[in-house]
Every structure is written in C-alpha cells, then in structure tokens.
Amino acid sequence: MTVVDEIPGEPSDTRGRVAELLSLREQARRGPSDRATEAQHAKGKLTARERIALLLDEGSFKEVEQLRRHRATGFGLETKKPYTDGVITGWGTVDGRTVFVYAHDFRIFGGALGEAHATKIHKIMDMAISAGAPLVSLNDGAGARIQEGVSALAGYGGIFQRNTRASGVIPQISVMLGPCAGGAAYSPALTDFVFMVRETSQMFITGPDVVKAVTGEEITQNGLGGADVHAETSGVAHFAYDDEETCIAEVRYLIGMLPSNNRENPPVHPSDDPADRRGDVLLDLVPADGNRPYDMHKVIEELVDDGDFLEIHERWARNIVCALARLDGQVVGIVANQPQALAGVLDIEASEKAARFVQMCDAFNIPLVTLLDVPGFLPGVDQEHGGIIRHGAKLLYAYCNATVPRISLILRKAYGGAYIVMDSQSIGADLTYAWPTNEIAVMGAEGAANVIFRRQIADAEDPEAMRARMVKEYKAELMHPYYAAERGLVDDVIDPAETREVLIASLAMLRNKHADLPSRKHGNPPQ
C-alpha cells in the first residue's frame, strides 16, 4: 500500500478542511481590503453586502458561487483573482417572501463585468425565473471589464436576453447605486422599475467626455445622467431618493405590493379602514366648475386604504398620476389625470408613462382603476411632430390589451379621443361610473358651439349673447350628467361620497374575471 505524502501547509483531516473553508468564506465576505471599504464609505456609498443586508430579512441571505474567480490572463489579471469576482449573488426573503438578488461590489475591479462575473449573474437570473420570484439588481459597476475584451460584452448580451425573457414573468427591479454607463444601462431599461440615489448614481450611454468631444457640450455626470435628470426629464428612473437606506427601504415596500410572478396575485394585507367608509370630503374637494384645478392626489388619498399609495414616476409627466395602492387590502393600480398640471391633458410623455404602467399592472394581475378628468390631448406643433398619434396609441393599445379587472370613474370632464383612450367602456372597461359633475362630450361646450353654430353666431345682432345661448343649449342637450348613462355608456352615476364602497364592491365581483386574448405569437404595439 502506497502512502501519499501530505502537501506542506494543507490540512490533512476534515476538521482542517472545514477550517480552511471558513477562512476562505471570511476572506470573500470581508472583501479586498479595509482600505477599499473605507474608500467606498468615503463616497457616501455602502458596500454590496451592506446593501443586501438592508434589502433582505435579517439572516435570510443564501449566497451562490461565493468562491468563484475569473480565469482571464493578461494585463496583470492572472495575479488578481479575488473571490466573488466583483458580484455577490444569491437569494433571501423580503417580509418572508423569496427574492433573488445580485449586487456589484465596486471594491473589486470597480464592479466591472467580466466573463465569470456575468456567468454568476446569468445563473441567478435563471434561478429567479425558474423559481418564479422577484429579481433585484443592486447596480454599482464601471461597465465592461476592458481587460477581458469581447467576452465581457457577450456577458451583457446574456443579461439582456434574460431580462427580456423574464419580462412580465417575474418583477425585475434595478437599483442604481453608482455609475452605469454604455451598454450596461440597457439592462435597467429592460426591467420593470428603476430606483436611483442622488449624487452617487448616474446612467448614460456616452459620458461627459465623449459628449464634449463629439458635440462640444460641457456637462457634469449628474447633469447628464443623475437621479433628478432621469426622474424628471427622461423618465428613465421611476424613483429617486437622497440616500441608500431610504431607497432600499422603498424597494422593500414596492416588493410588498407586487406578486412573486405572473401566475400569482399580489399579497393581500387586511385593512382596518372600513370598506363602506363614506368620503363626504370629496363633495367639496373636486369643484363642479371644470375650469378650476384641484389636486388628484387628495382624491386618491380619500379613496384608498388609510390614504396610503405609492406613486410611480412621481416627478415625470406630472399631468397624469400612476400609483399602486390598496382597496380593502387588495392591491390596485390607479391611473388618474392631474388637473393641477397642464389641466390634466394627455401629451406624449403622459401617454407613455400611463401605457407602461397599465402594461405592468396587466402583466402582474393588478386590477386597474382609472380616474378621468381630461380635457383632451395637448394641441401643438411640437406634440404633432413628436408623434402624439403613435404615443397616444400606446396607451390605447395597453388598455385594449389588458385582461385584468378594469373600472373607470369619470369625475368631471371627459372630452374627445382622450375620453376614449382613458379606458372608456367602448374599449373594454368592465365597469364605468360617473359622478353627477361629469361632462362627457366630443369637446367642451364653448368649442362645440363655435363649430356647430358658427353661422348663427356670426349673423346675430349680438354674437356674444348668441354664443352664450348656444353654449347653454349644447350643454343642456348633449352634456348633462345623465346623457351617457341614458345611452348605456356609463353603468351608473354615483354619489362621490360612496365611491370607495362602490369600487371595493365592484372589484370583489370582478376578482375571478377571466378573459382570453386571441391566439398569437405577440402583438405589434405602436412605437
């Protein structure tokens, strides 16, 4: 029998091997150095593991491929082979529900993506899809690892493919906690929600240096692609916060409003807010005069459980409000015109914002409640040349394609094509209600009278008196609150104070709604 000599320095028994394993794990958890950690903190940023600890329930994180290292050579890489390869992957729970996560570790190669790094992300994405659980990416990386060349770029391709395959199947949430430049920015753009932190996170395809070289324009990183820019101007970011702790806490809150996958319903949270609570304040909150503005947020607060809702894209396209809330414990998606901004008209950005929100709600079994107070589409050369026709059609397509329960409520104005697009009964709303202050018409009475009675007004001895008379006549004939109800275009005209009770009862009736779409590979929505 041959005796194998022991290799000096290697443990010879199981206990020794376990001790070695624990040492390697501790090395991987600690990261490259205390100095690197201090540098991360000095930038006002947390480490990847600190972020994961904030996101997931305490003690629930299970790491995958902690000891993975790259195999690349050249440019000094063969001497730098840290464990994790700059990305931490695994799963845990948020409020007891399974969530998968990957987090770039900026302390290692600046969080840059190489072949091994990408393979780890691919694996955790595949696991999330297979398990039917949300995926959260904590992004803080410097793009592709240049030293690994095209292999790094191919790694991004694999991420994009999986983002697309997971779309509408599991919730995907991107949390931007550092730089994200070039092709790397397309992964967040493919996900359902993008969170950003002011001052520390930026997203752009070409950075300030390239912009200056090509166009001569000088701009800072935050000015080009910071959190406020994407939350207010581009619409790329759904949420922007001042610090990482608040941002990640809001990610947890959002996850609690979403189902784990498209085969489940969102979590139900029993509410102490009575389903039959009257909202008498609504009688005074919304002026009967259609020309007077009011804050739609206050209407939503009065209707939903405990006045609590999460607004999506709060600072972009403010003329429309998109929010997740609960009615009698059930999650609903609310789409509402905002009279305080541009009088609540639909324009290009509002149409895009609402269309994406409607699609998300439909994908994840979230019923839709639409609150209408819309004077029409925004007129103007810029809007027409910018494609308001095709952009408005996106919202129309999204509603027509949605199979979740759909309830619309007309508070005041509902004019022209904007009335049809905002989930009218004619495009498939399950139930349509109206307040006694509603005005449903092709256009406002003044404009209609000027068109219909143009000749009579021009020939009258007192044109202004004739115009006022014709406006009054048009309103009496075609714009009284019960005109649409008499023709079956509104299911009921309700007391505003009873709106919450009516919505909850209607949603309960529609809870088991089943609707089949025609058999097809996929539609071809307007772009």
Side-chain angles (χ1 to χ4, degrees), residues 244-256:
E244 294 190 18
E245 291 84 356
T246 303
C247 179
I248 294 174
E250 289 299 295
V251 174
R252 285 178 58 93
Y253 181 68
L254 173 61
I255 290 172

Side-chain angles (χ1 to χ4, degrees), residues 311-334:
E311 186 170 357
I312 315 298
H313 269 142
E314 178 182 1
R315 297 163 62 197
W316 181 60
R318 293 174 185 249
N319 44 321
I320 201 160
V321 176
C322 298
L324 293 172
R326 284 189 167 86
L327 284 169
D328 198 30
Q330 306 280 344
V331 176
V332 297
I334 296 174

